[in-house]
Amino acid sequence: MNFKTIRDFHWITKMVIALTALLLGLLIAGGIASSYWMSNQQDQTAFNASQGLLSMVMTLASILMQVFLLILIFMAIHMVVTRIKMWIETYLDAMLAKLDLLVAQKPESEKVGATLAAMNEKVDGMEKKLEHIERILVNVGE
């Protein structure tokens, strides 16, 4: 398997990892402060710290839900735009290839056209000779 290091991740992925780590860190710190307060009920500072950390965790969690949703929407739009861009580039490359093929075939078609024009002149000349021969035969037959 080919694993990427964090250095190779996209900046959005790095931001999501950092925010999630911050949320988990605050949750763990709040849990530790809360368990310390539970073991020592007289310490009001530990209670205030645990309540403050847990309120920060709840606030950050509610904000991160919206941020992660926005990031997901941004990534989906980016993927769609990238696919459309790739399709347009492929289409334009195919059209340019057809144009190059037509440009390459143009001298050949001009040669064929010149050959057909020469053959047409020869056929016209032969028709005139046949008409002349017919007139002679009609005159001879009378």
Side-chain angles (χ1 to χ4, degrees), residues 53-104:
L53 286 172
L54 290 178
S55 68
M56 284 176 56
V57 166
M58 294 304 290
T59 305
L60 184 61
S62 66
I63 291 171
L64 286 182
M65 284 180 18
Q66 296 167 0
V67 168
F68 289 167
L69 181 64
L70 288 174
I71 289 172
L72 180 66
I73 291 170
F74 173 75
M75 289 172 58
I77 290 171
H78 183 265
M79 289 170 52
V80 167
V81 168
T82 303
R83 296 278 172 119
I84 291 172
K85 180 182 170 236
M86 286 176 21
W87 179 80
I88 289 172
E89 287 174 351
T90 305
Y91 180 76
L92 289 177
D93 287 343
M95 294 307 288
L96 287 174
K98 282 184 180 180
L99 186 62
D100 289 343
L101 182 65
L102 289 174
V103 167

Coordinates of all heavy atoms in Angstrom, one line a residue, residues 53-104:
L53 N -14.3 24.0 30.0 CA -13.8 23.2 28.9 C -14.9 22.4 28.1 O -14.9 22.4 26.9 CB -12.7 22.2 29.4 CG -11.4 22.8 29.8 CD1 -10.5 21.8 30.4 CD2 -10.7 23.3 28.5
L54 N -15.8 21.9 28.9 CA -16.9 21.2 28.2 C -17.8 22.1 27.4 O -18.3 21.7 26.4 CB -17.7 20.4 29.3 CG -16.9 19.2 29.9 CD1 -17.8 18.5 30.9 CD2 -16.5 18.2 28.8
S55 N -18.0 23.3 27.9 CA -18.8 24.3 27.1 C -18.0 24.7 25.8 O -18.6 24.9 24.7 CB -19.2 25.5 27.9 OG -18.0 26.3 28.2
M56 N -16.7 24.8 25.9 CA -15.9 25.0 24.7 C -15.9 23.9 23.7 O -16.0 24.1 22.5 CB -14.4 25.3 25.1 CG -14.1 26.7 25.7 SD -12.4 26.9 26.3 CE -11.5 26.6 24.8
V57 N -15.9 22.7 24.3 CA -16.0 21.5 23.4 C -17.4 21.5 22.7 O -17.4 21.2 21.5 CB -15.9 20.2 24.2 CG1 -16.3 19.0 23.5 CG2 -14.4 20.0 24.7
M58 N -18.5 21.8 23.4 CA -19.8 21.8 22.8 C -19.9 22.9 21.7 O -20.4 22.7 20.6 CB -20.9 22.0 23.8 CG -21.0 20.8 24.8 SD -21.2 19.2 24.0 CE -22.9 19.4 23.4
T59 N -19.3 24.0 22.0 CA -19.3 25.1 21.0 C -18.5 24.8 19.8 O -18.9 25.0 18.7 CB -18.8 26.4 21.7 OG1 -19.5 26.7 22.8 CG2 -18.9 27.6 20.7
L60 N -17.3 24.2 20.0 CA -16.4 23.9 18.9 C -17.1 22.7 18.1 O -17.0 22.7 16.9 CB -15.1 23.5 19.4 CG -14.0 23.1 18.4 CD1 -13.8 24.3 17.5 CD2 -12.7 22.6 19.0
A61 N -17.7 21.8 18.8 CA -18.4 20.7 18.0 C -19.5 21.2 17.2 O -19.6 20.8 16.0 CB -18.9 19.6 19.0
S62 N -20.3 22.1 17.7 CA -21.4 22.7 16.8 C -20.8 23.5 15.7 O -21.4 23.4 14.6 CB -22.3 23.5 17.7 OG -21.6 24.7 18.2
I63 N -19.7 24.2 15.9 CA -19.1 25.0 14.8 C -18.5 24.0 13.8 O -18.6 24.2 12.6 CB -18.1 26.0 15.3 CG1 -18.8 27.1 16.1 CG2 -17.3 26.6 14.2 CD1 -17.9 28.0 16.9
L64 N -17.8 23.0 14.3 CA -17.2 22.0 13.3 C -18.1 21.3 12.5 O -17.8 20.9 11.3 CB -16.3 21.1 14.1 CG -15.0 21.6 14.7 CD1 -14.2 20.6 15.4 CD2 -14.2 22.3 13.6
M65 N -19.3 21.0 13.0 CA -20.3 20.3 12.1 C -20.6 21.2 10.9 O -20.7 20.7 9.8 CB -21.6 20.1 12.9 CG -21.5 18.9 13.9 SD -23.0 18.6 14.8 CE -24.3 19.3 14.0
Q66 N -20.8 22.5 11.1 CA -21.1 23.4 10.0 C -19.8 23.5 9.1 O -20.0 23.6 7.9 CB -21.6 24.7 10.5 CG -22.9 24.6 11.3 CD -23.2 25.8 12.1 OE1 -22.5 26.8 12.1 NE2 -24.4 25.8 12.7
V67 N -18.7 23.6 9.7 CA -17.4 23.8 8.9 C -17.2 22.6 8.1 O -16.9 22.7 6.9 CB -16.2 24.1 9.9 CG1 -14.9 24.0 9.1 CG2 -16.4 25.5 10.5
F68 N -17.4 21.4 8.7 CA -17.1 20.2 7.9 C -18.1 20.0 6.8 O -17.8 19.6 5.7 CB -17.2 18.9 8.8 CG -16.0 18.8 9.7 CD1 -16.0 17.9 10.8 CD2 -14.9 19.6 9.6 CE1 -15.0 17.8 11.6 CE2 -13.8 19.5 10.4 CZ -13.8 18.6 11.5
L69 N -19.4 20.5 7.0 CA -20.4 20.4 5.9 C -20.0 21.4 4.8 O -20.1 21.0 3.6 CB -21.8 20.8 6.5 CG -22.9 20.8 5.5 CD1 -23.1 19.4 4.9 CD2 -24.2 21.3 6.1
L70 N -19.5 22.6 5.1 CA -19.1 23.5 4.1 C -17.9 23.0 3.4 O -17.8 23.1 2.1 CB -18.7 24.9 4.7 CG -19.9 25.7 5.2 CD1 -19.4 26.9 5.9 CD2 -20.8 26.1 4.1
I71 N -17.0 22.3 4.1 CA -15.8 21.7 3.4 C -16.2 20.6 2.5 O -15.7 20.5 1.3 CB -14.8 21.2 4.5 CG1 -14.1 22.4 5.2 CG2 -13.7 20.3 3.8 CD1 -13.2 22.0 6.3
L72 N -17.2 19.8 2.9 CA -17.7 18.7 2.0 C -18.3 19.3 0.8 O -18.1 18.8 -0.3 CB -18.7 17.9 2.8 CG -19.3 16.7 2.1 CD1 -18.2 15.7 1.7 CD2 -20.4 16.1 2.9
I73 N -19.1 20.4 0.9 CA -19.8 21.0 -0.2 C -18.7 21.6 -1.2 O -18.8 21.4 -2.4 CB -20.8 22.1 0.2 CG1 -22.0 21.4 0.9 CG2 -21.2 23.0 -0.9 CD1 -22.9 22.4 1.6
F74 N -17.7 22.3 -0.6 CA -16.6 22.8 -1.4 C -15.9 21.7 -2.2 O -15.6 21.9 -3.3 CB -15.6 23.6 -0.5 CG -14.4 24.1 -1.2 CD1 -14.4 25.1 -2.0 CD2 -13.2 23.4 -1.0 CE1 -13.3 25.6 -2.7 CE2 -12.0 23.8 -1.6 CZ -12.1 24.9 -2.5
M75 N -15.6 20.6 -1.5 CA -14.9 19.5 -2.2 C -15.7 18.9 -3.3 O -15.2 18.6 -4.4 CB -14.5 18.5 -1.2 CG -13.4 18.9 -0.2 SD -13.0 17.8 1.1 CE -12.6 16.3 0.3
A76 N -17.0 18.8 -3.1 CA -17.9 18.2 -4.1 C -18.0 19.2 -5.3 O -17.9 18.7 -6.5 CB -19.3 18.0 -3.5
I77 N -18.1 20.5 -5.1 CA -18.1 21.4 -6.2 C -16.8 21.4 -6.9 O -16.7 21.4 -8.1 CB -18.4 22.9 -5.6 CG1 -19.9 22.9 -5.2 CG2 -18.2 23.9 -6.7 CD1 -20.3 24.2 -4.4
H78 N -15.7 21.3 -6.2 CA -14.4 21.3 -6.8 C -14.2 20.0 -7.7 O -13.7 20.1 -8.8 CB -13.3 21.3 -5.7 CG -11.9 21.3 -6.2 ND1 -11.2 20.2 -6.4 CD2 -11.1 22.3 -6.6 CE1 -10.0 20.5 -6.9 NE2 -9.9 21.8 -7.1
M79 N -14.7 18.9 -7.2 CA -14.7 17.7 -8.0 C -15.5 17.8 -9.2 O -15.0 17.3 -10.3 CB -15.1 16.5 -7.1 CG -14.1 16.1 -6.0 SD -14.8 14.9 -4.8 CE -15.4 13.6 -5.9
V80 N -16.7 18.4 -9.1 CA -17.5 18.5 -10.3 C -16.9 19.4 -11.3 O -16.9 19.1 -12.5 CB -18.9 19.0 -9.9 CG1 -19.8 19.5 -11.1 CG2 -19.7 17.9 -9.1
V81 N -16.4 20.6 -10.9 CA -15.7 21.5 -11.8 C -14.5 20.9 -12.5 O -14.3 21.0 -13.7 CB -15.3 22.8 -11.0 CG1 -14.4 23.7 -11.9 CG2 -16.6 23.6 -10.6
T82 N -13.7 20.1 -11.7 CA -12.6 19.4 -12.3 C -13.0 18.4 -13.3 O -12.3 18.3 -14.4 CB -11.8 18.7 -11.1 OG1 -11.4 19.7 -10.1 CG2 -10.5 18.0 -11.7
R83 N -14.0 17.6 -13.1 CA -14.5 16.7 -14.0 C -15.0 17.4 -15.3 O -14.7 16.9 -16.4 CB -15.6 15.8 -13.5 CG -15.3 15.0 -12.3 CD -14.6 13.7 -12.8 NE -14.1 13.0 -11.7 CZ -14.5 11.8 -11.3 NH1 -15.4 11.1 -12.0 NH2 -13.9 11.2 -10.3
I84 N -15.7 18.5 -15.2 CA -16.2 19.2 -16.3 C -15.0 19.8 -17.1 O -15.0 19.7 -18.4 CB -17.2 20.3 -15.9 CG1 -18.5 19.7 -15.4 CG2 -17.5 21.3 -17.0 CD1 -19.4 20.7 -14.8
K85 N -14.0 20.3 -16.4 CA -12.9 20.8 -17.1 C -12.1 19.7 -17.9 O -11.7 19.9 -19.0 CB -11.9 21.4 -16.0 CG -10.7 22.0 -16.6 CD -9.8 22.5 -15.5 CE -8.4 22.9 -16.1 NZ -7.3 22.2 -15.5
M86 N -12.0 18.5 -17.2 CA -11.4 17.4 -17.9 C -12.2 17.0 -19.2 O -11.6 16.7 -20.2 CB -11.2 16.2 -17.0 CG -10.1 16.4 -16.0 SD -9.9 15.1 -14.7 CE -10.6 13.7 -15.4
W87 N -13.5 17.0 -19.1 CA -14.3 16.6 -20.2 C -14.2 17.6 -21.3 O -14.1 17.2 -22.5 CB -15.8 16.5 -19.8 CG -16.7 16.1 -20.9 CD1 -16.9 14.9 -21.4 CD2 -17.4 17.1 -21.7 NE1 -17.8 15.0 -22.5 CE2 -18.1 16.3 -22.7 CE3 -17.6 18.4 -21.7 CZ2 -19.0 16.9 -23.6 CZ3 -18.4 19.0 -22.6 CH2 -19.1 18.2 -23.6
I88 N -14.2 18.9 -21.0 CA -14.0 19.9 -22.0 C -12.7 19.8 -22.7 O -12.6 19.9 -23.9 CB -14.2 21.3 -21.4 CG1 -15.7 21.5 -21.0 CG2 -13.8 22.4 -22.3 CD1 -16.0 22.8 -20.3
E89 N -11.6 19.6 -21.9 CA -10.3 19.4 -22.5 C -10.2 18.2 -23.4 O -9.6 18.3 -24.5 CB -9.2 19.3 -21.4 CG -9.0 20.6 -20.7 CD -8.0 20.5 -19.5 OE1 -7.7 19.3 -19.1 OE2 -7.6 21.5 -18.9
T90 N -10.8 17.1 -23.0 CA -10.8 15.9 -23.8 C -11.6 16.2 -25.1 O -11.2 15.8 -26.2 CB -11.5 14.7 -23.1 OG1 -10.8 14.6 -21.9 CG2 -11.4 13.5 -23.9
Y91 N -12.8 16.9 -25.0 CA -13.6 17.2 -26.2 C -12.8 18.1 -27.1 O -12.8 17.9 -28.4 CB -14.9 17.8 -25.7 CG -15.8 18.2 -26.9 CD1 -16.5 17.3 -27.5 CD2 -15.9 19.6 -27.3 CE1 -17.3 17.6 -28.6 CE2 -16.7 19.9 -28.3 CZ -17.4 19.0 -29.0 OH -18.2 19.3 -30.0
L92 N -12.1 19.1 -26.6 CA -11.4 20.0 -27.5 C -10.2 19.3 -28.1 O -9.9 19.6 -29.3 CB -10.9 21.2 -26.7 CG -12.0 22.2 -26.3 CD1 -11.4 23.3 -25.4 CD2 -12.7 22.8 -27.5
D93 N -9.5 18.4 -27.4 CA -8.4 17.7 -28.0 C -8.9 16.8 -29.1 O -8.3 16.7 -30.2 CB -7.8 16.8 -26.9 CG -6.9 17.6 -25.9 OD1 -6.6 18.8 -26.3 OD2 -6.6 17.1 -24.9
A94 N -10.1 16.2 -28.9 CA -10.7 15.4 -30.0 C -11.0 16.2 -31.2 O -10.8 15.8 -32.4 CB -11.9 14.6 -29.5
M95 N -11.6 17.4 -31.0 CA -11.9 18.3 -32.1 C -10.7 18.8 -32.8 O -10.7 18.9 -34.0 CB -12.8 19.5 -31.6 CG -14.1 19.1 -31.0 SD -15.1 18.1 -32.2 CE -15.6 19.3 -33.4
L96 N -9.6 19.1 -32.1 CA -8.4 19.5 -32.7 C -7.8 18.4 -33.5 O -7.2 18.6 -34.6 CB -7.4 20.0 -31.7 CG -7.8 21.4 -31.1 CD1 -6.8 21.7 -29.9 CD2 -7.7 22.5 -32.1
A97 N -7.9 17.1 -33.0 CA -7.4 16.0 -33.7 C -8.1 15.8 -35.0 O -7.5 15.5 -36.1 CB -7.4 14.7 -32.9
K98 N -9.5 16.0 -35.0 CA -10.3 15.9 -36.2 C -9.9 17.0 -37.2 O -9.8 16.8 -38.4 CB -11.7 16.0 -35.9 CG -12.3 14.7 -35.4 CD -13.8 14.9 -35.2 CE -14.5 13.7 -34.7 NZ -15.9 13.8 -34.5
L99 N -9.7 18.2 -36.7 CA -9.3 19.3 -37.5 C -7.9 19.1 -38.2 O -7.7 19.3 -39.4 CB -9.2 20.6 -36.7 CG -9.0 21.9 -37.5 CD1 -10.1 22.1 -38.5 CD2 -8.9 23.1 -36.5
D100 N -7.0 18.5 -37.4 CA -5.7 18.2 -38.0 C -5.8 17.1 -39.1 O -5.1 17.2 -40.1 CB -4.7 17.7 -36.9 CG -4.3 18.8 -35.9 OD1 -4.4 20.0 -36.3 OD2 -3.8 18.5 -34.8
L101 N -6.7 16.2 -38.8 CA -6.9 15.1 -39.8 C -7.5 15.7 -41.1 O -7.1 15.3 -42.2 CB -7.8 14.0 -39.2 CG -8.1 12.8 -40.1 CD1 -6.8 12.0 -40.4 CD2 -9.2 12.0 -39.5
L102 N -8.4 16.6 -41.0 CA -9.0 17.2 -42.1 C -8.0 18.1 -42.9 O -8.0 18.1 -44.1 CB -10.2 18.1 -41.7 CG -11.5 17.3 -41.3 CD1 -12.5 18.3 -40.8 CD2 -12.0 16.5 -42.4
V103 N -7.2 18.8 -42.2 CA -6.1 19.6 -42.8 C -5.1 18.7 -43.5 O -4.7 19.0 -44.6 CB -5.4 20.5 -41.7 CG1 -4.1 21.1 -42.3 CG2 -6.3 21.6 -41.3
A104 N -4.8 17.5 -42.9 CA -3.9 16.6 -43.6 C -4.6 16.0 -44.8 O -3.9 15.6 -45.8 CB -3.5 15.5 -42.6

